[in-house]
Amino acid sequence: MDISVNEIKEILDWMSSYGKNEAGGMTRLLYSKSWLEVQMALKEKFEEIGMEARFDEVGNLYGRLVGTEPESGTVATGSHVDTVVNGGNLDGQLGIFGGYLAVKSLLETYGRPKKNLEVISMAEEEGSRFPYVFWGSKNLFGLAKKEDVENITDSEGIKFVDAMRGCGFDFKKDTDTSISDVKAFVELHIEQGNTLEMEGKSVGVITGIVGQRRYNITLKGEANHAGTTLMKYRKDVIQVFAEIVTESLKKARAIGDPLVLTFGKIEVKPNTVNVVPGEALFTMDCRHTDKELLKSVTSELEEDMKQIAGKYGVEIEIDLWMDEQPVPMDEEMIRLIEDVCREKGLNYRMMHSGAGHDSQIIAPRIPTGMLFVPSIKGISHNPAERTELSDLKQGIEALKASLYELSYK
């Protein structure tokens, strides 16, 4: 039985009602009232179609359709239920309601599967309320550390622990995995970029998630009078910054896709019109799917920056504060998902993910695959976040077909 666009719109609107705000966006932060309400509502929704639903200690929700051969393991899908502040209504939750619709349709069409089928509504991924990310997926494997969150607070001073316990949850009592019998995981997500839309594709089959290296870079020159200090005697940090940006981006463009390089923030001191700037702090974000290439490119850029700063007599401090490794998807899962897209005649392409997702925590531990659907104009984390219903349908059908291959055969 096909999944209709009307059915998709109905459940999208239903789930989006939890956390919807007057600005037209969604705010559903970890352990908030709207977060708890949607998790409880999803539990009821899962149970209505015969799934066994449960929460783990921290609030991850599992809806399981028990198979005819449950001892053969479980095939899981899902994503995160939390949002950013005033975000859109597809980031994260598409993977949950899409997984639910896929399992519901499979049950109605084919009956119970051999392996168990499970939809996981993960507690948190975004880090929007508390300064911690992937709380949900890390707790699937006992990776989250109590000491990392027990003293952190949100912007209103509410402690993480108090918010968690206020919703009826607590820390895991042991480090055992919550999904020990899961044999495969598939995540459906919006692209949050414009590649699929620009290339006229409805589905992306993900080969891997990029690695990320992020830097804080400080330049220290000499602040001086803008009118009386000759150009040849200046130690101007903006001149150094400008040359670093120009030369670095030139190299990045020469290397080409999938490398991306961003200088996203700069703070200048004294930041006034008539003083040669004497200090600057700026950021650099570099991403690639190949670990060794990412490391070699950024190492070369670091050396270039030192040489440019030295040429102008400016001190430079380079702080690499994030070094996330690329995460490839499982090769067999990639082949399986591509095969079902081809067999179903879906309008797809192979691609990588330039953003982080729960799958990057799961993939090193369980065979994992990912599917993308287009984001209109590439917009995400914004009330304007949208995907055409026809594209949502293709993505959910690709997920459904993948789950069928993994759990019914």
Side-chain angles (χ1 to χ4, degrees):
M1 183 182 297
D2 280 348
I3 300 164
S4 70
V5 292
N6 288 337
E7 194 175 6
I8 294 169
K9 185 177 187 307
E10 183 179 328
I11 195 167
L12 170 60
D13 291 344
W14 169 80
M15 196 170 175
S16 301
S17 67
Y18 297 92
K20 189 174 182 179
N21 58 44
E22 294 178 358
M26 283 179 59
T27 302
R28 197 161 62 210
L29 306 181
L30 177 64
Y31 300 137
S32 66
K33 181 175 181 288
S34 58
W35 176 93
L36 182 60
E37 287 175 343
V38 76
Q39 287 288 70
M40 298 303 294
L42 281 166
K43 183 174 185 292
E44 291 182 11
K45 182 78 72 177
F46 292 161
E47 291 171 340
E48 285 173 4
I49 64 168
M51 301 175 89
E52 295 180 356
R54 67 179 178 89
F55 287 101
D56 64 16
E57 293 98 324
V58 303
N60 289 316
L61 172 64
Y62 308 80
R64 174 171 291 197
L65 183 63
V66 178
T68 57
E69 300 174 8
E71 68 284 352
S72 63
T74 298
V75 175
T77 187
S79 195
H80 60 96
V81 74
D82 67 314
T83 72
V84 298
V85 175
N86 197 31
N89 67 348
L90 290 169
D91 179 13
Q93 74 173 19
L94 167 60
I96 301 167
F97 74 74
Y100 165 81
L101 288 177
V103 171
K104 180 174 178 286
S105 181
L106 287 169
L107 178 62
E108 292 170 351
T109 307
Y110 304 105
R112 289 169 60 199
K114 289 183 180 179
K115 294 187 178 73
N116 308 313
L117 266 176
E118 190 163 70
V119 180
I120 308 174
S121 178
M122 281 171 260
E124 187 274 343
E125 185 247 35
E126 298 284 4
S128 296
R129 183 176 183 186
F130 301 99
Y132 189 94
V133 295
F134 298 118
W135 174 248
S137 52
K138 284 180 178 178
N139 268 286
L140 299 182
F141 303 97
L143 300 173
K145 297 178 181 178
K146 179 179 179 180
E147 57 267 27
D148 289 341
V149 298
E150 60 185 346
N151 293 315
I152 63 176
T153 61
D154 66 11
S155 60
E156 297 179 355
I158 298 172
K159 294 186 69 174
F160 183 100
V161 175
D162 293 340
M164 177 173 63
R165 290 174 178 159
C167 285
F169 301 106
D170 210 330
F171 294 110
K172 289 177 70 71
K173 295 179 178 60
D174 56 55
T175 57
D176 291 341
T177 176
S178 297
I179 52 174
S180 57
D181 69 338
V182 172
K183 306 301 182 184
F185 180 82
V186 188
E187 183 175 10
L188 173 63
H189 208 280
I190 55 171
E191 181 190 349
Q192 300 179 282
N194 64 355
T195 299
L196 289 172
E197 183 183 48
M198 294 295 289
E199 299 191 6
K201 300 295 184 181
S202 296
V203 177
V205 179
I206 306 308
T207 56
I209 298 173
V210 294
Q212 302 182 40
R213 291 192 128 200
R214 294 185 186 176
Y215 294 81
N216 285 332
I217 301 156
T218 304
L219 300 173
K220 293 182 179 179
E222 183 177 76
N224 217 328
H225 197 290
T228 62
T229 310
L230 298 180
M231 299 300 287
K232 61 184 177 182
Y233 299 131
R234 296 185 178 200
K235 295 182 179 180
D236 183 347
V237 294
I238 289 300
Q239 183 174 8
V240 174
F241 170 74
E243 192 165 324
I244 285 172
V245 171
T246 301
E247 294 303 315
S248 299
L249 292 179
K250 189 185 297 182
K251 281 195 173 182
R253 289 194 179 94
I255 294 167
D257 297 337
L259 181 79
V260 289
L261 180 67
T262 305
F263 294 89
K265 176 182 178 182
I266 180 168
E267 297 175 356
V268 183
K269 295 179 182 179
N271 197 27
T272 189
V273 67
N274 59 350
V275 178
V276 176
E279 186 173 333
L281 168 68
F282 64 96
T283 62
M284 185 175 79
D285 178 310
C286 191
R287 308 185 189 199
H288 199 284
T289 54
D290 184 283
K291 177 175 70 174
E292 294 306 320
L293 196 147
L294 177 62
K295 185 177 179 180
S296 66
V297 167
T298 50
S299 295
E300 185 176 335
L301 293 178
E302 288 177 39
E303 289 304 311
D304 290 347
M305 287 189 281
K306 291 175 185 176
Q307 289 181 14
I308 293 168
K311 182 170 65 173
Y312 294 100
V314 169
E315 296 177 25
I316 186 168
E317 297 172 4
I318 301 173
D319 174 25
L320 173 63
W321 62 270
M322 176 192 279
D323 189 6
E324 295 285 348
Q325 302 298 310
V327 180
M329 296 296 103
D330 180 80
E331 290 186 7
E332 289 186 17
M333 293 287 284
I334 295 169
R335 281 195 295 269
L336 182 147
I337 295 170
E338 184 182 13
D339 286 346
V340 301
C341 287
R342 187 186 303 115
E343 290 167 9
K344 291 288 181 181
L346 301 178
N347 182 24
Y348 78 96
R349 65 157 283 168
M350 311 301 290
M351 63 186 297
H352 70 276
S353 172
H357 300 286
D358 286 307
S359 285
Q360 74 189 63
I361 304 298
I362 299 169
R365 297 160 181 88
I366 293 172
T368 296
M370 277 199 83
L371 286 157
F372 277 176
V373 292
S375 296
I376 295 174
K377 296 182 179 178
I379 295 172
S380 184
H381 285 187
N382 184 308
E385 178 180 278
R386 293 286 184 273
T387 298
E388 297 288 353
L389 286 171
S390 58
D391 290 333
L392 291 178
K393 177 177 168 62
Q394 285 212 33
I396 296 171
E397 290 291 353
L399 175 63
K400 173 185 169 182
S402 300
L403 295 178
Y404 175 81
E405 292 294 322
L406 290 164
S407 61
Y408 281 80
K409 293 186 175 182

